[in-house]
C-alpha cells in the first residue's frame, strides 16, 4: 500500500478510496444520466416504455473493480452479499420467492403468522426443494417462475442443488440467481467442535415443527438483509461489477453505498487485499467509467518485472533446462555421476557392394510320373473298399 496512490489522497490509510472523490464522481454520473434521459434519442424514435423519471429511476449505478490477478478461478454460481447502508430493493411491489429445505409447511406458517406485514406482502411464494423439482421440471414452467418474481432467496443447505433443478433459465445470467440465506440454527459446540447428530434411523418429523430453525426474528433479519444487499457474482476474470444504487437517488446515498461496497469487496472477496486492486470506477449502463481509485503498481510480484531487452524469468533457463536455440536432448539416457563410462560401440564395416541372394534350385516337373502315382493310389483304394465290403457281408 505504500506505493499505491489514489486519484485523491484518502482520509483513512486502511481504505485508500477517498470519500470526497467518490461523491464528486457520483454527482457527475447522476447529472450525466439525467441529462441523457432528457435529450431525444439519436434515431428519432420515441421511448414508449416510460417517461424521463421512470427511465432515470430504473437506471442502475455500478461499482466496477479491476484487479491485477483473477479473483476466482471458476464461475461461482451462488452470489455473495454486501449489506449496504441504503438498501437496493425498497419497492413495496417487490415480489420475493423463498426456496427452503424440506418440509415447507413450517416456513409457510412462519411467514403467514409471524413475519412483519410489510415483509409478508413481498414474499409471494414459499416452496421447498422437493416441490420445486416436481412442479417446475419443464422449461416453460421454469420461465414462468422466473418472470413471476423479482428476487429469489434459497436456504444455504440446498443452494448447491438449485443449478440442476432450475437450469439455464436462472443461471445463464446473473439477474435473478438465488441468493443464499441462513435459516438453520448453528449446531452446539463442545470444546470448539460441533456435536455430531445421533446415529440410527431418524424418527418421522412433523411438517408443522422445525426444531433446527433459527428464531423468527433472526430469520426476518436475514431475509431483509438479503433483499436489500448488493450481490457479488465472481467469475474467472479481473473485472467485477456490483450494483450500488439507481440514478434517481441522491449522490450522497450512492457515495455511501460505494464506500461500503468497495471496502467489503476488497476485504472479503479479493485475495491479497488492496495489493491486488488496480482500479475502482463508478458507471451507468451506457456511460463512461469515472475513476475513484487508481494504483501505480501494475503487478504484484517485482520478480515478474524485467528490463527492456531481457527475457522474463519464465523464459530464462533453470536447473535442468536448456537455453533458447539449443536442440533438446532427445533419445539419450541420463548418466549417473558414479557410473563408469560405457565403451564405445564398434561401428560396422561397410562393404562396397551388397551381397546378392542365392536362389535355391527348383526340381524340374514330370507329368508322366505324377499321373502314374495317382493311378496306383486309386487302384489301392479300390482294393481296400472291396475287402471291407466282403468282411461286412460275412
Amino acid at each position: 500500500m505504500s506505493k499505491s496512490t489514489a486519484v485523491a489522497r484518502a482520509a483513512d490509510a486502511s481504505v485508500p478510496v477517498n470519500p470526497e472523490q467518490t461523491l464528486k464522481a457520483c454527482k457527475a454520473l447522476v447529472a450525466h444520466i439525467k441529462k441523457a434521459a432528457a435529450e431525444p434519442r439519436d434515431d428519432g424514435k420515441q421511448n414508449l416504455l416510460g417517461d424521463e423519471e421512470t427511465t432515470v429511476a430504473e437506471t442502475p449505478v455500478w461499482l466496477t473493480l479491476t484487479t491485477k490477478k483473477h479473483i476466482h478461478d471458476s464461475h461461482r454460481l451462488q452470489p455473495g452479499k454486501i449489506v449496504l447502508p441504503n438498501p437496493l430493493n425498497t419497492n413495496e411491489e417487490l415480489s420475493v420467492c423463498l426456496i427452503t429445505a424440506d418440509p415447507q409447511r413450517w416456513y409457510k406458517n412462519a411467514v403467514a403468522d409471524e413475519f412483519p406485514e410489510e415483509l409478508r406482502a413481498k414474499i409471494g411464494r414459499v416452496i421447498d426443494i422437493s416441490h420445486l423439482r416436481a412442479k417446475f421440471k419443464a422449461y416453460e414452467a421454469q420461465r414462468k417462475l422466473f418472470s413471476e418474481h423479482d428476487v429469489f432467496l434459497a436456504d444455504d443447505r440446498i443452494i448447491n442443488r438449485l443449478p440442476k433443478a432450475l437450469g439455464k433459465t436462472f443461471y445463464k445470467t446473473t439477474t435473478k440467481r438465488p441468493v443464499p440465506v441462513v435459516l438453520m440454527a448453528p449446531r452446539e459446540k463442545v470444546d470448539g467442535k460441533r456435536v455430531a447428530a445421533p446415529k440410527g434411523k431418524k424418527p418421522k418429523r412433523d411438517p408443522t415443527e422445525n426444531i433446527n430453525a433459527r428464531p423468527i426474528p433472526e430469520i426476518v433479519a436475514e431475509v431483509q438483509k438479503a433483499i436489500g444487499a448488493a450481490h457479488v457474482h465472481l467469475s474467472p476474470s479481473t473485472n467485477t461489477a456490483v450494483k450500488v444504487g439507481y440514478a434517481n437517488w441522491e449522490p450522497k446515498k450512492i457515495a455511501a453505498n460505494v464506500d461500503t461496497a468497495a471496502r467489503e469487496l476488497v476485504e472479503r472477496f479479493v485475495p491479497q487485499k488492496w495489493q491486488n486492486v488496480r482500479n475502482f470506477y463508478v458507471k451507468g449502463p451506457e456511460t463512461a467509467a469515472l475513476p475513484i481509485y487508481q494504483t501505480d503498481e501494475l503487478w504484484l510480484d517485482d520478480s515478474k518485472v524485467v528490463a527492456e531487452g531481457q527475457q522474463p524469468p519464465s523464459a530464462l533457463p533453470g536447473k535442468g533446462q536448456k537455453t533458447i536455440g539449443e536442440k533438446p536432448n532427445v533419445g539419450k539416457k541420463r548418466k549417473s555421476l558414479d557410473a563408469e563410462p560405457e565403451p564405445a560401440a564398434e561401428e560396422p564395416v561397410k562393404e562396397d557392394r551388397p551381397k546378392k541372394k542365392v536362389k535355391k534350385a527348383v526340381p524340374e516337373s514330370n507329368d508322366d510320373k505324377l499321373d502314374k502315382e495317382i493311378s496306383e493310389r486309386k487302384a489301392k483304394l479300390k482294393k481296400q473298399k472291396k475287402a471291407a465290403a466282403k468282411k461286412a457281408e460275412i
Side-chain angles (χ1 to χ4, degrees), residues 360-370 373:
K360 295 181 180 180
V362 180
E364 296 181 359
S365 59
N366 190 347
D367 295 339
D368 297 336
K369 186 178 179 181
L370 182 61
E373 290 178 356

Side-chain angles (χ1 to χ4, degrees), residues 180-232:
V181 290
V182 182
L183 303 180
M184 186 181 71
R187 292 182 182 176
E188 298 181 359
K189 292 185 178 181
V190 177
D191 297 333
K193 296 182 179 180
R194 293 181 179 178
V195 179
K199 297 182 180 180
K201 189 176 181 180
K202 296 181 180 180
K204 190 175 181 180
R205 292 186 300 175
D206 186 357
T208 60
E209 296 182 0
N210 192 345
I211 59 175
N212 297 325
R214 301 173 66 179
I216 298 298
E218 294 184 7
I219 295 179
V220 171
E222 179 75 7
V223 172
Q224 290 178 338
K225 182 178 68 174
I227 292 175
H231 301 155
V232 182

Side-chain angles (χ1 to χ4, degrees), residues 242-261:
V242 180
K243 187 192 297 184
V244 292
Y246 294 92
N248 64 335
W249 287 11
E250 295 181 2
K252 290 183 179 180
K253 295 175 62 177
I254 301 176
N257 284 0
V258 168
D259 293 336
T260 302

